[in-house]
């Protein structure tokens, strides 16, 4: 079968390539934020099944994992330091970080912006907390994680997008 051209709404023109009998795969996007692949299967009955597969770059998955880890450890402070005001504030940031970590696992660019801004605020407050209120190992760990997440997200935001695929 010869190659067909197809245009999907809000996506670049793509080209079908035959992988094996009855299945074709198309690369839809060549973005630096994520990679989408549309898998189109043609069944014996003539029906066609379509499935979208999104693959996030390893750097983005790394940042998401660190945000999720930071969220869990922020909340875990409640068990160690009980109900002090600064610990409750840190636990609230932990809930926010869990949500940000889950949002980073989606191919949204806004997630990179949010994961660059909120850890900057939280890291600044963590340094202030370490210097004035309660020096503890959690604050050091969280600031290190915040720096890693911020630098990864800013790096992903500043990378140039790949050129569009030829149609």
């Amino acid at each position: 079968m010869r190659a067909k051209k197809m245009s999907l709404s809000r996506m670049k023109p793509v080209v079908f390539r035959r992988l094996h009998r009855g299945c074709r795969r198309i690369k839809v996007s060549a973005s630096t934020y994520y990679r989408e692949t549309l898998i189109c299967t043609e069944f014996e009955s003539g029906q066609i099944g379509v499935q979208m597969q999104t693959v996030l770059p390893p750097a983005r998955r790394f940042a998401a994992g660190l945000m999720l880890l930071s969220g869990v450890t922020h909340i875990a402070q409640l068990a160690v330091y009980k109900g002090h005001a600064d610990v409750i504030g840190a636990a609230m940031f932990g809930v926010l970080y869990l949500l940000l970590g889950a949002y980073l696992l989606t191919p949204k660019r806004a997630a990179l912006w949010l994961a660059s801004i909120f850890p900057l605020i939280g890291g600044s407050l963590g340094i202030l907390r370490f210097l004035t209120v309660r020096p503890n190992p959690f604050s050091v760990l969280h600031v290190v994680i915040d720096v890693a997440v911020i630098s990864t997200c800013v790096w992903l935001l500043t990378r140039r997008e790949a050129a569009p695929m030829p149609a």
Side-chain angles (χ1 to χ4, degrees):
M1 177 171 264
R2 53 179 217 171
K4 298 179 185 177
K5 293 182 181 175
M6 174 180 172
S7 180
L8 301 174
S9 64
R10 297 177 50 206
M11 293 185 192
K12 300 174 180 91
V14 295
V15 178
F16 279 96
R17 287 177 291 170
R18 185 177 276 290
L19 289 180
H20 56 81
R21 192 176 127 174
C23 183
R24 291 177 237 150
R25 179 175 277 195
I26 350 167
K27 185 164 180 156
V28 177
S29 172
S31 172
T32 57
Y33 307 115
Y34 59 91
R35 186 177 71 237
E36 286 183 332
T37 303
L38 189 66
I39 300 171
C40 179
T41 308
E42 188 176 355
F43 298 100
E44 301 276 329
S45 63
Q47 292 180 328
I48 295 177
V50 177
Q51 174 187 3
M52 183 66 73
Q53 178 184 17
T54 302
V55 180
L56 297 173
R60 188 171 181 136
R61 290 188 306 231
F62 173 72
L66 285 179
M67 286 304 295
L68 292 170
L69 173 68
S70 183
V72 169
T73 57
H74 271 83
I75 295 171
Q77 290 182 76
L78 286 173
V80 177
Y81 297 113
K82 305 300 176 214
H84 298 284
D86 61 311
V87 177
I88 293 172
M92 291 171 51
F93 261 91
V95 172
L96 176 68
Y97 285 178
L98 285 173
L99 294 173
L100 275 175
Y103 193 37
L104 273 172
L105 292 173
T106 65
K108 304 282 185 189
R109 186 169 186 202
L112 293 173
W113 281 103
L114 292 174
S116 299
I117 295 168
F118 283 110
L120 181 62
I121 296 168
S124 302
L125 292 173
I127 291 171
L128 182 66
R129 175 183 175 203
F130 184 82
L131 295 175
T132 59
V133 179
R134 176 176 293 131
N136 61 51
F138 282 109
S139 294
V140 174
L141 171 70
H142 293 149
V143 169
V144 169
I145 290 175
D146 289 342
V147 167
V149 169
I150 293 166
S151 59
T152 302
C153 290
V154 167
W155 178 72
L156 285 168
L157 283 168
T158 58
R159 286 176 57 190
R160 293 181 52 125
E161 284 208 28
M165 290 178 41

